[in-house]
Amino acid sequence: MMRKQNFGSSMAAAAVAAVMGLTLIGCSQTGAETTGDQNTADSAAQESAAEENGASQEAQEQENSAASGTEAEEASQSEAARDDLLAQIRERGEVIVAMEGTWSPWTYHNEDDELVGYDVEVAQAIAEHLGVGVSFVEGEWDGLFAGLDAGRYDMVVNGVEITDERAEKYDFSEPYAYNRTAIIVSGDNEEIQSFEDLSGKNTANTISSTYAELAESYGANVTGVDDLNQTFELLLSGRIDATLNAELTYYDYMKAHPDANIKIAALTQDASEVAIPMRKGAETESLRAAVNEAIDEMRASGELAQLSEKYFDSDISQAPQEE
């Protein structure tokens, strides 16, 4: 009896052990599978993170590249603006115009000491066309061009006539006025009746002006003056024999001084062209084009003719017809 009981116990123990072994094997296999799944998930997450990092880096690189491109474009535009006077003018918001301010009716001060005149209003209209304001700087004739050469002024609007010598140094706009030159003498002077009669005579004009150069070309001795008022003072006092100036300037002076004892002795046959000088070269190319466009529009609309009638009592904006 005792031996049977021991055999049964052994069998039971073995069965329990076998069951437990199978259970452990099952648990071990389940744990391994779980670990494998976790490793796979971790690997996938790492790959996803790597892809996201890569995409983020690529996006950052594209953003940096775009920023660099924008900076390069802005630098290029800034460089171009430095070489384009019109762009500089629009960036600063005003065009700087030089003129004498003492030459009526082109540019002068009225009774209220306001700067007015034909050239003043022409310059204001051009500035409006450019979409900017205008700043006027007044000075003596030679100083106007010295300032233009040095870059202090953008243009000179002062009844400047186009000559071959000036055209070599400056680029001009198209003409906006036409003007004949007059020899002006005292009312009792009968010696000067032509330009040839200027030889050996004493005249006065602003130095380097077209009028001074013309007088010298006929052999006159030219005295340099600062402005038109000094010229007429010398003529009326008898210290000079004649002065050369715009025909229209003479009429304007006589309108203001009807008792002045002066007269026109002779006139040039051809009218000179009055235009706006700017520095020569590519720097002013776009500015010249815009100024020409403004002059064309003013002529087409009749604005130039109206200004001419206002200041000269005649239309000087059109080239005179050949007779």
Side-chain angles (χ1 to χ4, degrees), residues 184-188 202 204 228-243 250 253-254 256-263:
I184 306 170
V185 298
S186 63
D188 55 358
N202 296 316
L228 182 66
N229 291 328
Q230 290 183 10
T231 300
F232 282 116
E233 287 174 6
L234 292 175
L235 181 61
L236 291 168
S237 65
R239 283 178 285 176
I240 59 173
D241 300 307
T243 182
Y250 166 80
Y253 184 84
M254 292 305 296
H257 307 83
D259 297 329
N261 184 31
I262 58 176
K263 66 181 180 180

Side-chain angles (χ1 to χ4, degrees), residues 25 28 34 67 117 186 197 231 310 323:
I25 291 172
S28 177
T34 302
S186 63
D197 293 335
T231 300
K310 175 181 178 179
E323 297 180 357

Side-chain angles (χ1 to χ4, degrees), residues 5-21:
Q5 289 176 347
N6 290 339
F7 178 78
S9 297
S10 297
M11 291 294 290
V16 171
V19 171
M20 291 181 65

Side-chain angles (χ1 to χ4, degrees), residues 94-292:
E94 67 175 11
V95 57
I96 303 174
V97 175
M99 55 178 51
E100 288 179 291
T102 56
W103 188 27
S104 176
W106 298 85
T107 160
Y108 64 103
H109 286 258
N110 62 17
E111 295 177 353
D112 297 324
D113 200 29
E114 298 171 330
L115 182 64
V116 295
Y118 180 70
D119 278 333
V120 173
E121 294 205 40
V122 167
Q124 289 171 335
I126 289 174
E128 183 177 352
H129 177 85
L130 299 180
V132 297
V134 58
S135 175
F136 292 108
V137 180
E138 301 175 52
E140 296 181 3
W141 176 263
D142 287 342
L144 304 184
F145 292 92
L148 182 64
D149 296 340
R152 294 194 297 272
Y153 316 136
D154 300 317
M155 62 181 72
V156 175
V157 185
N158 198 83
V160 181
E161 296 179 3
I162 301 175
T163 65
D164 292 340
E165 183 179 358
R166 289 174 185 163
E168 289 180 0
K169 188 172 183 180
Y170 303 101
D171 281 332
F172 280 84
S173 70
E174 64 180 58
Y176 67 95
Y178 298 85
N179 191 23
R180 289 195 300 176
T181 298
I183 300 176
I184 306 170
V185 298
S186 63
D188 55 358
N189 187 320
E190 299 298 333
E191 294 183 10
I192 301 175
Q193 297 184 13
S194 69
F195 283 86
E196 287 73 15
D197 293 335
L198 290 173
S199 179
K201 298 298 192 295
N202 296 316
T203 66
N205 276 107
T206 51
I207 295 300
S208 78
S209 68
T210 307
Y211 307 119
E213 294 171 357
L214 182 60
E216 288 177 338
S217 73
Y218 281 98
N221 303 310
V222 180
T223 297
V225 295
D226 294 332
D227 56 45
L228 182 66
N229 291 328
Q230 290 183 10
T231 300
F232 282 116
E233 287 174 6
L234 292 175
L235 181 61
L236 291 168
S237 65
R239 283 178 285 176
I240 59 173
D241 300 307
T243 182
L244 275 63
N245 217 295
E247 175 187 10
L248 297 169
T249 298
Y250 166 80
Y251 293 132
D252 182 73
Y253 184 84
M254 292 305 296
K255 186 191 300 183
H257 307 83
D259 297 329
N261 184 31
I262 58 176
K263 66 181 180 180
I264 291 179
L267 287 166
T268 54
Q269 291 183 347
D270 299 325
S272 57
E273 296 179 332
V274 176
I276 299 173
M278 289 163 264
R279 287 185 293 279
K280 185 176 285 291
E283 175 198 10
T284 61
E285 184 176 351
S286 60
L287 176 60
R288 291 195 307 274
V291 169
N292 286 340

